[in-house]
Amino acid sequence: MASVLPILIIVLLTKVTGQEVENSNKFPLVVSTWPFLEAVRAGWRAINGGLSSVDAVVEGCSACEFLRCDGTVGPGGSPDENSETTIDALIMNGATMEVGAVAAMRYVKDGIKAARLVMLYTEHTMLAGDQASAFAISMGLPGPSNLSSPESMEKWTKWRENHCQPNFRKNVLPTNSCGPYHPKQDSNVGETTCLVDDVSENTRMMSSNVDFHNHDTIPMAIFDKSGHIAVGTSTNGASFKIPGRVGDGPIAGSSAYADDEVGACGATGDGDIMMRFLPCYQVVESMRLGMAPKVAAEDAISRIAKKYPTFIGAIFAVDKNGTHAGACHGWTFQYSVRSPSMDVVEVFTVYP
């Protein structure tokens, strides 16, 4: 009887706490958008090697920046209207809810590392533009550097030869050529515009030039062996964006969100639309209320699609027990996972 007692105590503690013993065969865990296999492998090596979830996210996203995943992450990717590449990035600690982010950062290639510097060495959440660059360099990151590449310049040149089409301008002249642009003098534009009547046209315009290869982000979520979560994102934004544009990448609750008590979320797609809904915050809060990850992800996507039926986007959701799922609209989505039960990174496909 005496030998049975310790076992009974362990069983009872497991039922009460529900985490340490239960999670032992589920964590660590790495989840990322798309088949960014090398990035997931880098995150897995880091977390399995004993780094914190925050540091592991930095390792994973840095790998994607270095490899310039899909041409939409890291330097040398999507050029803006002026041919320049700029960086948006975010990191979030799900244990402390601390966030560091950089937006429209020029001249510094290490987006996720710059975001971590903001979190570690300031009481701010986000720094932007040239001031973000200056801060990152002052804290030891290399720069200033030219973030363009032969590929991004070739892409920009072809766009200029196509009369700067498509672009993100609206209600401006000229409509079918490069700028300089000026507001269209139209009685239907301005304070008198009927928002309801313009919904379908605005939706078409905002989503028509978004696809897999020109408007993407890597969100990554990593759980350490104890279930502590961090998320991070990095992107060079939308191709041919208006200079100064900030997408959903550095916005906590939009591109990514994490809470140790609940789980995590990552989002990708048309950030200009998605950031208006904070879909990852919505997902985590829905899971907090008891929704399964699949249902929470589908619910968040449907809220956006109801208002913008032609938008393109996707979400992965993972709860504190390691259960993961995805949802998407307008494209077929894939996300990658590595867990202790897997010998290699596995890719999951989600259909709209």
Side-chain angles (χ1 to χ4, degrees):
M1 180 66 183
S3 61
V4 176
L5 188 59
I7 297 175
L8 290 175
I9 292 174
I10 292 173
V11 171
L12 288 173
L13 284 174
T14 301
K15 290 180 178 293
V16 172
T17 61
Q19 184 166 343
E20 199 70 32
V21 176
E22 178 183 348
N23 290 345
S24 62
N25 63 343
K26 298 179 181 179
F27 299 136
L29 176 69
V30 182
V31 185
S32 169
T33 54
W34 306 116
F36 295 152
L37 304 186
E38 288 303 321
V40 175
R41 289 172 185 143
W44 175 257
R45 286 193 299 270
I47 197 66
N48 209 38
L51 293 186
S52 69
S53 54
V54 169
D55 289 339
V57 164
V58 171
E59 291 297 310
C61 289
S62 290
C64 221
E65 292 172 346
F66 177 78
L67 294 170
R68 201 189 306 160
C69 290
D70 283 334
T72 58
V73 180
S78 305
D80 65 17
E81 285 187 345
N82 293 339
S83 79
E84 186 176 9
T85 297
T86 55
I87 304 293
D88 293 342
L90 168 145
I91 192 159
M92 181 174 187
N93 185 333
T96 65
M97 310 307 285
E98 292 174 287
V99 173
V102 291
M105 185 175 68
R106 307 165 74 193
Y107 312 130
V108 177
K109 62 183 179 65
D110 300 300
I112 192 69
K113 291 179 180 178
R116 179 176 60 174
L117 290 174
V118 173
M119 185 172 73
L120 290 178
Y121 299 115
T122 83
E123 294 186 3
H124 301 309
T125 292
M126 182 188 296
L127 298 179
D130 289 351
Q131 290 82 2
S133 308
F135 171 79
I137 293 169
S138 75
M139 298 305 292
L141 290 184
S145 304
N146 182 358
L147 301 189
S148 297
S149 67
E151 293 80 5
S152 69
M153 293 304 298
E154 180 183 5
K155 188 175 183 180
W156 179 77
T157 299
K158 290 181 178 179
W159 177 71
R160 292 283 297 184
E161 292 172 350
N162 194 44
H163 309 291
C164 300
Q165 301 300 313
N167 62 45
F168 289 90
R169 304 278 179 169
K170 69 176 184 179
N171 300 327
V172 297
L173 294 172
T175 57
N176 295 309
S177 65
C178 300
Y181 300 98
H182 58 271
K184 180 189 296 185
Q185 299 302 314
D186 189 297
S187 59
N188 292 324
V189 177
E191 295 182 0
T192 60
T193 298
C194 178
L195 296 178
V196 175
D197 291 343
D198 284 350
V199 164
S200 60
E201 177 63 13
N202 286 342
T203 299
R204 182 195 67 78
M205 292 177 66
M206 290 301 293
S207 300
S208 60
N209 51 354
V210 173
D211 63 32
F212 178 84
H213 295 291
N214 72 358
H215 207 290
D216 195 20
T217 307
I218 177 172
M220 177 178 285
I222 297 185
F223 294 65
D224 70 14
K225 294 178 181 180
S226 298
H228 298 306
I229 317 167
V231 292
T233 66
S234 184
T235 180
N236 54 46
S239 296
F240 318 122
K241 61 190 175 186
I242 298 169
R245 180 261 190 184
V246 174
D248 66 328
I251 309 299
S254 186
S255 67
Y257 199 73
D259 186 335
D260 275 11
E261 297 178 358
V262 183
C265 168
T268 182
D270 188 345
D272 288 295
I273 298 298
M274 299 180 79
M275 66 194 297
R276 303 171 189 179
F277 295 83
L278 294 180
C280 276
Y281 178 79
Q282 180 67 55
V283 164
V284 171
E285 290 308 301
S286 293
M287 291 193 299
R288 190 189 306 276
L289 295 175
M291 279 192 188
K294 180 68 172 175
V295 178
E298 291 176 343
D299 175 69
I301 287 290
S302 69
R303 290 168 185 257
I304 306 173
K306 181 179 179 180
K307 297 289 187 180
Y308 293 91
T310 63
F311 102 98
I312 295 174
I315 287 171
F316 72 73
V318 53
D319 67 19
K320 65 180 181 180
N321 296 314
T323 303
H324 56 83
C328 60
H329 184 85
W331 57 7
T332 297
F333 174 53
Q334 292 182 304
Y335 68 97
S336 302
V337 178
R338 181 72 159 89
S339 73
S341 64
M342 301 173 180
D343 294 327
V344 296
V345 179
E346 294 187 12
V347 177
F348 295 80
T349 301
V350 182
Y351 298 96

